[in-house]
């Protein structure tokens, strides 16, 4: 009797499990003019994870039926669960350097590609699993859902990609890496926009834990991917007769994306000049800056990471200095642009660490918000909303900083390889940002 009852129940269970795969496309069917929150209220609540697990366990013991074609990816994916249970290798600066010790041979390149063939599906699966664990109404947000779809699509492609055994396979593999990296280019602005819209449904502490995990996962995979693409480019250059001499010279300095002789003062100057130009284009004015300390410091680090951290800290310092000058000019009915206080930057190096101090005279951080400056979606910017009340679009270059993601992400970047970021504020005067790196 139990068997007959179970066989009759099987189609209902199958429909119940498949129904979870339709949530992601329901918003589009309701029409683009319907707010996503309204669309969410028209959807049935997603069943609890344990209930769905019991349903799948019961269905597994019933006679099998032909598998139906897959539609939208389900929040309950056995493939994702299987890969997410596999241990992933930690990403360290030493690990990145070990993958490209000279000489860079064909065998070493293929071995690193084979490592990534195993590692990338695991890392994508953990991201998909992390997103699937969000509250139901948050997952229905179109921006969050688009991120889920992008990660799931990359997971499926990564797990199905054949093992790299030759240079021809390697070329196809690198093209796939580059294409996937490009597809995820605007993921963080989308996440920022989605969580900005969902902030009433997701508390600060759960939001912080989720975003900390997501940013760390993103950094790890981007490091592995960028490192391998750089290694492939260096291998190609080393084997081309025209560029062989230049490649040999670069090999002493660059190992993949790692610069063995990164000149700190030069990097600070380039970033400060870029932020200064952006301020002039955006606000019509910009503070001057100075660089002092140990100007000949050089160390081993990843230029793109340092560029990101310096740019975020300098944007805050320059914007605070301008706001302070504007407030002073308004109170005195003066428009003298020379009153903008300069930003002072000091660089130094000890036996084990390098340090950058960025000092501004922008009035400091008010005491009532000092403890919140590293919270996601918290911002003091007055331009983070557009005139119609919506958040900036992902194409807006200031989208992340305008939505309160700049400082918390900078802190995670600093701590990823064992560094630190600290702020010391003198309310009413200015703020010092201390960035220390190994």
């Amino acid at each position: 009797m139990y068997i007959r009852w179970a066989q009759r129940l099987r189609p209902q269970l199958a429909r119940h499990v498949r129904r979870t795969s339709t949530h992601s496309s329901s918003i589009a069917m309701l029409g683009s003019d319907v707010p996503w929150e309204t669309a969410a209220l028209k959807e049935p609540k997603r069943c609890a994870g344990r209930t769905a697990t019991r349903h799948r366990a019961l269905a597994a013991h019933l006679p099998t039926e032909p598998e139906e074609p897959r539609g939208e990816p389900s929040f309950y994916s056995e493939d994702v669960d299987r890969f997410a249970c596999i241990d992933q290798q930690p990403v360290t600066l030493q690990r990145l350097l070990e993958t490209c010790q000279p000489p860079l041979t064909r065998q070493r390149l293929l071995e690193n590609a084979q490592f990534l063939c195993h590692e990338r599906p695991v890392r994508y699966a953990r991201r998909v699993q992390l997103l699937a664990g969000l509250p139901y109404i948050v997952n229905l947000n179109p921006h969050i859902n688009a991120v889920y779809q992008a990660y799931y699509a990359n997971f499926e492609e990564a797990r199905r990609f054949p093992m790299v055994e030759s240079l021809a396979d390697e070329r196809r593999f690198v093209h796939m890496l580059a294409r996937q990296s490009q597809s995820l280019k605007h993921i963080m602005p989308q996440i920022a926009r989605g969580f900005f819209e969902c902030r009433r449904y997701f508390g600060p502490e759960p939001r912080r834990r989720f975003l900390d995990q997501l940013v760390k996962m993103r950094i790890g995979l981007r490091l592995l991917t960028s490192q391998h693409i750089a290694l492939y480019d260096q291998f190609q250059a080393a084997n081309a007769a025209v560029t062989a001499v230049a490649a040999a010279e670069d090999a002493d300095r660059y190992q993949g994306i790692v610069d063995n002789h990164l000149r700190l003062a030069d990097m600070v100057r380039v970033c400060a000049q870029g932020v200064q130009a952006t301020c002039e284009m955006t606000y019509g004015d910009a503070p001057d800056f100075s660089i002092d300390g140990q100007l000949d410091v050089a160390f081993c680090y990843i230029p793109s990471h340092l560029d990101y951290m310096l740019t975020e800290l300098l944007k805050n310092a320059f914007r605070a200095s301008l706001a302070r000058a504007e407030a002073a000019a308004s109170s005195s009915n003066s428009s003298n642009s020379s009153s903008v206080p300069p930003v002072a930057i000091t660089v130094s190096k000890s036996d084990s660490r390098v340090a950058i101090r960025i000092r501004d005279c922008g009035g400091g951080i008010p005491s009532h918000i000092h403890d919140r400056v590293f919270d996601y979606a918290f911002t003091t910017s007055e331009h983070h909303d557009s005139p119609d009340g919506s958040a900036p679009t992902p194409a807006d270059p200031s989208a992340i900083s305008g939505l309160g993601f700049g400082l918390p992400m900078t802190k995670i970047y600093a701590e990823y390889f064992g560094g630190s970021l600290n702020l010391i504020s003198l309310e009413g005067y200015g703020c010092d940002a201390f960035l220390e790196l190994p």
Side-chain angles (χ1 to χ4, degrees), residues 12-56:
Q12 300 176 22
L13 293 177
R15 285 194 300 272
H16 181 72
V17 175
R18 284 197 302 271
R19 188 170 57 203
T20 62
S21 67
T22 65
H23 295 323
S24 57
S25 60
S26 59
I27 298 173
M29 291 192 303
L30 288 171
S32 58
D33 57 335
V34 179
W36 71 270
E37 292 155 299
T38 303
L41 295 176
K42 295 184 179 182
E43 285 295 304
K45 290 186 177 180
R46 184 176 61 182
C47 63
R50 287 177 296 186
T51 303
T53 302
R54 289 196 297 268
H55 289 165
R56 290 198 304 271

Side-chain angles (χ1 to χ4, degrees), residues 117 156-164 169 172-174 176:
C117 284
E156 284 292 330
E157 185 178 18
R159 79 179 182 88
R160 296 174 187 274
F161 196 90
M163 185 58 62
V164 176
D169 295 341
R172 289 191 293 271
F173 184 62
V174 169
M176 186 264 288

Side-chain angles (χ1 to χ4, degrees), residues 379-401:
T379 178
T380 58
S381 173
E382 297 178 356
H383 306 285
H384 67 279
D385 284 351
S386 57
D388 63 355
S390 63
T393 63
D396 184 354
S398 63
I400 292 181
S401 60

Side-chain angles (χ1 to χ4, degrees), residues 346-410:
T346 304
V347 297
S348 66
K349 182 179 182 181
S350 66
D351 292 339
S352 59
R353 302 171 83 80
V354 299
I356 306 105
R357 182 188 66 189
I358 300 175
R359 170 172 290 178
D360 66 68
C361 299
I365 304 171
S367 57
H368 67 281
I369 66 171
H370 189 275
D371 293 338
R372 300 182 59 194
V373 294
F374 289 113
D375 290 349
Y376 292 97
F378 174 77
T379 178
T380 58
S381 173
E382 297 178 356
H383 306 285
H384 67 279
D385 284 351
S386 57
D388 63 355
S390 63
T393 63
D396 184 354
S398 63
I400 292 181
S401 60
L403 291 175
F405 271 55
L407 273 180
M409 286 184 60
T410 301

Side-chain angles (χ1 to χ4, degrees), residues 57-84:
L58 177 59
H61 293 287
L62 301 179
T64 59
E65 296 177 356
E67 183 178 356
E68 297 183 7
R70 292 188 179 185
E72 296 291 331
S74 168
F75 287 104
Y76 304 113
S77 170
E78 294 179 358
D79 292 329
V80 169
D81 292 342
R82 178 164 54 87
F83 277 92

